[in-house]
């Protein structure tokens, strides 16, 4: 994912990004057990923060190049 984001930014991509909202629960899988709302929220926020950090690092790396 990092390489894809870096390539996209290098090529000038500056539009939106999205996270998959079902990282704790696979909603389309009938066999999947539903996670609680708090676990899903925490997971989504954590991955949002990781994505944000990754983007900051990539942009800093590209500035040095």
């Amino acid at each position: 994912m990092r390489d894809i984001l870096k390539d996209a930014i290098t090529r000038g991509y500056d539009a939106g990004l999205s996270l998959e909202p079902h990282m704790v629960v696979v909603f389309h899988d009938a066999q999947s057990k539903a996670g609680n709302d708090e676990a899903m929220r925490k997971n989504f926020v954590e991955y949002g923060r990781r994505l944000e950090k990754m983007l900051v690092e990539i942009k800093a790396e590209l500035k040095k190049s």
Side-chain angles (χ1 to χ4, degrees):
M1 183 172 141
R2 182 181 181 77
D3 291 341
I4 293 168
L5 286 172
K6 185 175 179 180
D7 182 62
I9 293 167
T10 300
R11 294 171 186 262
Y13 184 81
D14 68 351
L17 298 172
S18 66
L19 296 172
E20 288 293 324
H22 56 276
M23 292 181 284
V24 172
V25 175
V26 180
F27 293 105
H28 54 76
D29 181 358
Q31 302 301 318
S32 177
K33 297 185 190 270
N36 68 46
D37 289 342
E38 182 62 16
M40 290 187 289
R41 185 194 70 76
K42 283 183 178 181
N43 183 259
F44 194 78
V45 169
E46 172 66 23
Y47 276 86
R49 289 182 176 145
R50 289 183 187 195
L51 175 59
E52 183 177 41
K53 181 178 183 233
M54 186 184 305
L55 290 169
V56 167
E57 290 171 353
I58 290 169
K59 289 177 182 180
E61 184 180 315
L62 290 172
K63 278 186 178 180
K64 292 179 185 177
S65 307

